[in-house]
Amino acid sequence: MATNDLLGYLESRKNITGSACGLAGLALTFAGVAGPYWPVVVVGLYGAGALIAPPERPPLPDFPDPSAQLDEVRADFDRLTSYLADVELPPAAAGRLTELTELLAALLDPGWVAEVLAQDPEGVHTLSRAVRQDVPEAVDTFVRTRWWTRLAPGQESPERHLERQLTLLHEEAERLAAGLRETEARRQESHTRYLEDRSR
């Protein structure tokens, strides 16, 4: 058995419970109850204690907290904006994309908004999905589809699809921002009620 395994067992619940029961067996021996069979009693009580001890609980995975996740999303957003700067889009879609990226940048900006967002794991997930998946997928799909449309014209304009996708993503980001604003408003109202109750 490796040293780490041995140390782990010595600190385990099984060993601690078994040792406590073994000490009880020694106490019985000194009280004259166990008689000449005291080694069997001590070992038996140790084994029984080890068997009834609750199982060890493995440690929880060390996932990054929402603040650390936001830092990662922020870095990915920087990479996304670099990618978008190299993509040529029609004026209408480019305008919608600018509105969306400005809103995402405001939500990711370090400060009190990010602090409120860090308390909302679902919001962090929504923002992460937009940055890492939805926006790049929408733009990349447009670029590829536009090339095929030039070869086979007559299909529905890929620009329309892109504009609609960016509009939907912007609406989703607006809902996220509105939810954060409501959270802060509720916090302010709660503080007002607290002060009112305290002054009575």
Side-chain angles (χ1 to χ4, degrees):
M1 182 182 287
T3 305
N4 287 342
D5 293 339
L6 178 60
L7 289 175
Y9 179 75
L10 290 176
E11 296 172 354
S12 70
R13 295 179 184 179
K14 288 185 178 297
N15 184 51
I16 292 170
T17 307
S19 297
C21 291
L23 286 174
L26 284 176
L28 291 173
T29 300
F30 291 129
V33 177
Y37 301 105
W38 69 268
V40 176
V41 172
V42 171
V43 172
L45 286 174
Y46 175 88
L51 286 174
I52 65 170
E56 293 295 320
R57 184 174 62 86
L60 289 171
D62 187 20
F63 294 124
D65 62 20
S67 297
Q69 292 178 27
L70 273 181
D71 290 337
E72 294 174 5
V73 176
R74 220 172 267 124
D76 290 341
F77 181 71
D78 290 340
R79 285 194 287 274
L80 175 64
T81 52
S82 297
Y83 159 72
L84 295 175
D86 294 333
V87 179
E88 183 182 340
L89 298 177
R96 290 184 189 274
L97 181 62
T98 299
E99 292 173 358
L100 174 59
T101 54
E102 286 176 354
L103 181 53
L104 294 176
L107 289 168
L108 285 168
D109 190 36
W112 68 267
V113 175
E115 290 173 11
V116 176
L117 182 59
Q119 305 305 315
D120 179 13
E122 196 61 39
V124 173
H125 173 70
T126 298
L127 201 54
S128 170
R129 185 179 56 200
V131 169
R132 294 171 171 163
Q133 178 181 336
D134 295 334
V135 174
E137 176 70 16
V139 173
D140 184 58
T141 303
F142 163 76
V143 170
R144 288 184 284 120
T145 307
R146 180 178 56 179
W147 185 83
W148 284 107
T149 304
R150 288 174 180 166
L151 294 179
Q155 303 294 320
E156 187 173 0
S157 166
E159 287 84 356
R160 279 193 170 180
H161 282 289
L162 178 60
E163 289 172 29
R164 181 64 182 142
Q165 291 167 5
L166 295 175
T167 299
L168 292 169
L169 289 170
H170 189 270
E171 289 171 356
E172 184 178 56
E174 283 183 324
R175 285 193 298 273
L176 175 58
L180 297 176
R181 185 170 57 245
E182 287 174 13
T183 299
E184 286 299 281
R186 285 195 300 271
R187 181 180 172 193
Q188 185 183 37
E189 290 168 4
S190 297
H191 190 59
T192 300
R193 284 195 298 273
Y194 163 73
L195 293 175
E196 288 172 347
D197 293 341
R198 196 175 70 180
S199 63
R200 288 174 186 166

